[in-house]
Amino acid sequence: LKITTFSVSAKTTNTATITWTTNIPSTGTISYGANSSRLSGTATTPDSGTTHTATLTKLSRGTKYYYRINAVSGSTKVSSSVSSFRTNY
């Protein structure tokens, strides 16, 4: 299982949509937060597939957020590196 691509595909003042692909069908979660060492928020994509989209909501305007994608297929789990984005002002 590999996370092959990921990006912030859309963002507003209080939401961000993150899209990623995996090489085999999997489910996934996004861990996120305003502190890179404390990713306490979670968004889930319960459907199995290779293309995934999750929208983070209730974010603060003009704030930098950090996120990590976690993919699961059977007993195999992988995580992306931590990346960041800033919501719109």
Side-chain angles (χ1 to χ4, degrees):
L1 173 62
K2 293 181 184 177
I3 299 169
T4 54
T5 62
F6 62 94
S7 66
V8 177
S9 57
K11 60 184 178 169
T12 68
T13 57
N14 61 359
T15 66
T17 301
I18 298 174
T19 304
W20 70 97
T21 58
T22 53
N23 64 326
I24 61 174
S26 62
T27 58
T29 61
I30 298 173
S31 302
Y32 66 96
N35 182 325
S36 62
S37 62
R38 224 174 124 230
L39 304 177
S40 56
T42 303
T44 303
T45 61
D47 297 329
S48 183
T50 57
T51 301
H52 310 271
T53 301
T55 300
L56 313 183
T57 60
K58 299 182 182 176
L59 305 178
S60 297
R61 173 189 298 261
T63 302
K64 186 172 186 176
Y65 285 92
Y66 299 87
Y67 70 96
R68 178 176 47 239
I69 296 165
N70 310 291
V72 178
S73 181
S75 61
T76 304
K77 298 177 184 179
V78 297
S79 295
S80 70
S81 57
V82 175
S83 294
S84 65
F85 64 91
R86 185 176 298 278
T87 52
N88 296 346
Y89 285 95

